Amino acid sequence: MQTNHTPTRRLLNEREAAAELGISFRTLQQWRVRGIGPAYLKIGRSVRYDAASLEIWLAQQTRTHTTG
């Protein structure tokens, strides 16, 4: 018998996501309001960040020079 099992996404709350990024959760909140931070999920009234998406977003922040 085969079971369809999809991997569970690891969802982080604001404080956990901020800790992963090494920033304060207030900074993460400000980024969300300004639309400049990582993508997030809204589940009811809760804000959650997908751990895999945070890693992708973080990798995209790599820069080789100060412009752009």
Side-chain angles (χ1 to χ4, degrees):
M1 180 172 155
Q2 262 187 328
T3 304
N4 289 339
H5 183 270
T6 56
T8 304
R9 294 168 81 174
R10 189 167 73 97
L11 300 180
L12 308 174
N13 66 31
E14 291 176 287
R15 290 185 186 274
E16 293 167 333
E20 288 282 323
L21 296 173
I23 59 173
S24 76
F25 87 99
R26 292 284 186 205
T27 297
L28 187 57
Q29 287 176 331
Q30 290 174 0
W31 287 358
R32 188 174 64 250
V33 169
R34 293 172 52 200
I36 61 171
Y40 64 95
L41 301 161
K42 190 78 175 193
I43 303 171
R45 294 164 75 179
S46 299
V47 172
R48 296 291 182 261
Y49 291 86
D50 181 289
S53 294
L54 276 183
E55 291 297 324
I56 293 167
W57 180 84
L58 195 56
Q60 293 169 342
Q61 304 314 301
T62 302
R63 302 288 187 256
T64 58
H65 52 82
T66 58
T67 58

